[in-house]
Amino acid sequence: MTKKNIFIIAPTILFLISACLSFYAYRKYSMDYIKTYVSSHLIKQRKQIKEDDLLEVLVPKEYLNDDVYLDKQDILNKYVKLSFSIPTGSLFYKIALEDNIKDLANTYLNKNEVNYDIYTSEVKVNTGALNVDMNVDVYVTIKDKDKAISDLLLSNCRITGLYDNNGRLINVYDKDSRVNIISIAISNDCVNLLNKALKLADVNIIASSSTYDSSKSCTINENSLLMSYLN
């Protein structure tokens, strides 16, 4: 074999050996590791899992078992259970997540808000036109001697849940169940006013002019003619 042939064949052999070793290493790596997801930050109880909560990683298969969610779609939109939290970099364990939670309405609350339940039998409302996340206004009419005082009391109260006669949450796709309770998010200082209004007056609930504006929150009409009756 000539020296020229050696210079041609030797690099080819080395390339083939390197390619084989690389393929073997990749195959072993791909067989021993699997793609899954960990939390990108600390996720507290009752938080709904979204895209930005996930971080894609490769994890040795020996660290995984049937207790862990591997597929992204199995993790997204689930809620962290009460008394649980997901530490930064943690796998998503099935025991820590759930969906169809009973206290879903509470997850919609902002700071200093509470859920207030209104029975449809106690107010005037068209439940067929309402849905979760819509904003509604609360109008109150009080009879004072021979006249009626009617005015806006609360504006932009966000609906957090609609419930049937058995107290079960009515899902968006459920068009047959009858609404018995409307749960709305109101600020703490609205509770006493609404309690008195339901006791002393007629209450109407209608869609707000800012029905779908998520930046709005429940506010009291401080200039309402009703204040002298309800305070």
Side-chain angles (χ1 to χ4, degrees):
M1 182 180 295
T2 65
K3 191 176 293 187
K4 180 179 180 181
N5 289 336
I6 293 175
F7 280 119
I8 295 174
I9 295 173
T12 302
I13 293 174
L14 290 174
F15 172 78
L16 291 174
I17 292 173
S18 176
C20 290
L21 290 175
S22 297
F23 175 77
Y24 175 77
Y26 172 78
R27 184 181 178 188
K28 185 176 186 303
Y29 181 82
S30 62
M31 290 177 63
D32 292 343
Y33 287 77
I34 189 170
K35 183 182 76 173
T36 187
Y37 299 87
V38 297
S39 59
S40 61
H41 59 96
L42 174 64
I43 308 174
K44 297 183 179 180
Q45 62 179 357
R46 278 302 178 257
K47 169 74 166 59
Q48 187 178 30
I49 307 299
K50 298 297 183 183
E51 281 277 357
D52 56 3
D53 297 319
L54 305 181
L55 184 64
E56 183 179 309
V57 294
L58 288 173
V59 178
K61 287 184 177 180
E62 62 188 62
Y63 292 167
L64 303 174
N65 53 43
D66 292 338
D67 298 329
V68 177
Y69 283 119
L70 302 180
D71 192 285
K72 180 193 293 187
Q73 299 309 316
D74 291 331
I75 302 171
L76 289 176
N77 299 318
K78 282 187 169 61
Y79 293 84
V80 180
K81 287 184 179 179
L82 287 172
S83 302
F84 282 80
S85 63
I86 313 294
T88 305
S90 171
L91 296 166
F92 288 91
Y93 289 91
K94 296 177 181 179
I95 194 174
L97 301 179
E98 63 182 337
D99 48 16
N100 299 321
I101 60 176
K102 292 182 178 180
D103 57 336
L104 178 63
N106 294 331
T107 66
Y108 294 118
L109 294 177
N110 296 321
K111 187 177 181 180
N112 297 323
E113 285 186 338
V114 297
N115 272 316
Y116 193 101
D117 294 334
I118 298 176
Y119 287 82
T120 56
S121 59
E122 298 178 352
V123 299
K124 294 180 180 179
V125 58
N126 177 13
T127 58
L130 301 181
N131 215 331
V132 174
D133 274 342
M134 289 176 58
N135 295 329
V136 294
D137 292 339
V138 178
Y139 280 83
V140 173
T141 301
I142 294 179
K143 295 178 181 178
D144 181 21
K145 297 180 181 179
D146 296 329
K147 63 179 181 178
I149 309 298
S150 184
D151 202 359
L152 172 68
L153 179 64
L154 305 176
S155 60
N156 296 311
C157 302
R158 189 175 66 264
I159 297 177
T160 56
L162 301 173
Y163 301 86
D164 64 17
N165 291 329
N166 296 312
R168 290 192 294 260
L169 182 67
I170 299 175
N171 294 309
V172 175
Y173 52 80
D174 185 350
K175 305 300 181 184
D176 299 321
S177 297
R178 183 176 180 179
V179 178
N180 185 53
I181 300 173
I182 302 170
S183 190
I184 59 175
I186 63 175
S187 55
N188 295 323
D189 52 359
C190 296
V191 174
N192 288 337
L193 285 175
L194 197 47
N195 282 341
K196 291 180 181 179
L198 288 168
K199 188 72 174 178
L200 303 175
D202 295 326
V203 175
N204 285 48
I205 297 177
I206 64 173
S208 165
S209 59
S210 303
T211 307
Y212 304 105
D213 189 345
S214 60
S215 66
K216 300 287 185 179
S217 58
C218 182
T219 56
I220 301 173
N221 179 15
E222 299 288 355
N223 298 320
S224 174
L225 300 172
L226 303 164
M227 286 304 176
S228 59
Y229 296 89
L230 299 177
N231 282 325

